[in-house]
Amino acid sequence: MMHNMVKVLDKVIGFKTAQAHCDIPCKIYDPSTALLAALSCVRLMDLIKEIEDKETLTVADYAQIARLVGEKESASTEVKEAVRIIWGDYFKAPQFEQVPNAHDLTHSIMLQASKCKQGINREEGEKLVSLVNEFAEAFWLTKGVTTYRAPCPYPPMLDTVYPDLKG
């Protein structure tokens, strides 16, 4: 009954929706989400370029470009959200002591993700991947986990930071 009353009030008043990663805190953080989203930005830029390079475009090509751009912008936003959550919820004084440039690095990622939303320049996407890799290394450092770099096994096949969970 209470749920129905709140539902009716929501329709009349229009409560703001609250969203959070986990304010318990759950202690489950991983920069891989941001890395996958950054890699997706580059891959989507590549797919847009493939269509751009065609001699003639069809209506289906224009529709595909619209979908690709929407996904690229969504991936850029996902990078920002994932990094912001780790920076805001996980990083505390001890982590900031270990990674003194965390604020500047996070801000650089936010700006770079915005550049990726604004255009289709692959170099901007590669720079985003590079910054997120740096963030991933910093994150794993605070966990005492060593990392290594290897090309991701799918396009765009860029170097990606992975935690070395064997050691």
Side-chain angles (χ1 to χ4, degrees), residues 3-159:
H3 174 67
N4 289 335
M5 286 180 21
V6 172
K7 208 169 162 183
V8 170
L9 280 173
D10 183 38
K11 286 183 182 179
V12 174
I13 298 171
F15 297 122
K16 290 183 180 181
T17 302
Q19 295 182 0
H21 166 72
C22 184
D23 290 329
I24 293 176
C26 63
K27 296 187 180 184
I28 299 174
Y29 300 99
D30 191 321
S32 64
T33 303
L35 278 167
L36 290 172
L39 290 164
S40 293
C41 285
V42 176
R43 178 64 179 145
L44 291 160
M45 290 173 177
D46 289 346
L47 292 170
I48 292 166
K49 179 72 172 139
E50 287 177 17
I51 295 172
E52 179 185 39
D53 290 345
K54 288 184 173 183
E55 286 189 31
T56 58
L57 299 181
T58 65
V59 171
D61 291 328
Y62 288 112
Q64 181 68 2
I65 288 171
R67 284 190 296 277
L68 293 170
V69 168
E71 288 301 314
K72 175 188 63 77
E73 295 198 6
S74 177
S76 297
T77 298
E78 187 175 347
V79 169
K80 292 172 96 168
E81 288 176 5
V83 168
R84 179 188 49 78
I85 287 168
I86 292 171
W87 172 80
D89 291 356
Y90 167 72
F91 273 76
K92 304 288 186 265
Q95 290 80 23
F96 289 125
E97 287 174 16
Q98 287 180 283
V99 185
N101 72 329
H103 298 304
D104 290 337
L105 178 57
T106 300
H107 188 242
S108 294
I109 291 169
M110 299 301 142
L111 294 174
Q112 194 60 38
S114 291
K115 284 183 185 177
C116 290
K117 289 178 81 168
Q118 296 165 0
I120 56 171
N121 183 342
R122 188 182 207 275
E123 289 76 27
E124 298 293 356
E126 290 174 356
K127 186 171 182 182
L128 180 62
V129 171
S130 177
L131 288 167
V132 175
N133 274 331
E134 189 178 335
F135 185 84
E137 287 171 333
F139 171 83
W140 290 115
L141 172 78
T142 69
K143 294 282 195 178
V145 175
T146 59
T147 59
Y148 65 95
R149 287 184 183 227
C152 63
Y154 37 77
M157 313 224 349
L158 296 174
D159 275 359

